[in-house]
Amino acid sequence: MAGNNKKLKLIEWFGFRADSNFEDHRRLGIAVGFLLSALMLVLAILAIASVFLMVAVVIKSFGNLPSNDLGNTLRGIAFALGAIVGLPFLVWRSWVAQR
């Protein structure tokens, strides 16, 4: 392996062959597609729930002056929302950069 200077692609690094025949693994493709779709659905639900949670915190504290606890809570929710929304873009950017 020391003499092999061939640059590996990401798919080969994971242990898959680059010349795979996907016709042989149709059911696996359906399962992977379903799991990826379910993951995106869960991420979308979490993002929407985070927005509603942030709005609920703001409405609940509308009568009170903003306190340090409110700011920390809103900042935490905003960071979680940013992470949930930004994760697909991070994966996409990594995939494009690898090509």
Side-chain angles (χ1 to χ4, degrees):
M1 191 93 181
N4 188 1
N5 290 331
K6 179 185 171 196
K7 185 175 178 182
L8 288 177
K9 294 183 179 181
L10 180 64
I11 198 78
E12 293 168 341
W13 183 68
F14 282 133
F16 299 106
R17 294 189 333 235
D19 59 346
S20 297
N21 184 2
F22 294 110
E23 291 293 324
D24 296 339
H25 308 289
R26 216 175 255 274
R27 289 185 183 168
L28 179 63
I30 293 170
V32 170
F34 175 77
L35 289 176
L36 288 176
S37 298
L39 177 66
M40 288 299 125
L41 181 65
V42 167
L43 287 176
I45 289 170
L46 285 175
I48 292 169
S50 297
V51 169
F52 282 126
L53 182 61
M54 188 178 293
V55 169
V57 168
V58 169
I59 290 173
K60 182 180 176 184
S61 65
F62 183 68
N64 302 333
L65 291 175
S67 66
N68 193 21
D69 292 338
L70 174 64
N72 287 337
T73 302
L74 288 175
R75 186 178 64 223
I77 294 171
F79 284 157
L81 180 63
I84 291 169
V85 171
L87 180 65
F89 293 107
L90 177 68
V91 170
W92 171 76
R93 175 65 179 109
S94 299
W95 186 271
V96 169
Q98 190 272 334
R99 287 185 184 188

